[in-house]
Amino acid sequence: RVERCTIDGGAATTTDLAVQLEMSASDPLPSSGMKSVLYQEFEFSPGASQWIPVRNSGWLDYAAARTNYTWQLLASPGMKYLQAWAADQTGNIAVAPFKAHIN
């Protein structure tokens, strides 16, 4: 289960495309421990009237990418939101992502 995800410590806005991501996840008993995290960035498409995925990190090592992970936002103006997914050592993926946004 993904419990938390923040962009630049929970900032509402940024002027820098390079932001820091932090997330935490847990694996309920019987726990195998956390293995991976995946970040997915979305931006709003007025033409499609929906949020569309624009890039993702691929699966990263949980221990290395859960704190102070540098993410380069897509260089287009406006609100972005990110999803954080997690997987445990046995390959179980969180049922739902945690969502965070920044303008």
Side-chain angles (χ1 to χ4, degrees):
R1 172 181 124 182
V2 182
E3 299 166 339
R4 176 181 63 85
C5 179
T6 61
I7 305 168
D8 274 354
T13 62
T14 184
T15 57
D16 192 351
L17 294 177
V19 295
Q20 297 296 309
L21 305 182
E22 304 241 351
M23 67 90 68
S24 64
S26 63
D27 187 22
L29 294 174
S31 177
S32 63
M34 300 312 302
K35 179 180 181 180
S36 306
V37 60
L38 181 138
Y39 297 111
Q40 175 75 55
E41 180 182 345
F42 292 79
E43 72 175 359
F44 190 75
S45 169
S49 295
Q50 65 182 350
W51 290 93
I52 56 169
V54 292
R55 65 171 53 155
N56 74 62
S57 63
W59 287 103
L60 305 167
D61 178 69
Y62 178 77
R66 71 180 193 90
T67 59
N68 295 314
Y69 185 76
T70 301
W71 180 267
Q72 191 75 21
L73 293 168
L74 193 66
S76 57
M79 180 80 63
K80 309 288 185 196
Y81 96 79
L82 276 83
Q83 293 181 347
W85 294 86
D88 66 14
Q89 295 288 344
T90 57
N92 299 308
I93 299 172
V95 174
F98 196 99
K99 299 172 186 171
H101 65 276
I102 197 161
N103 196 2

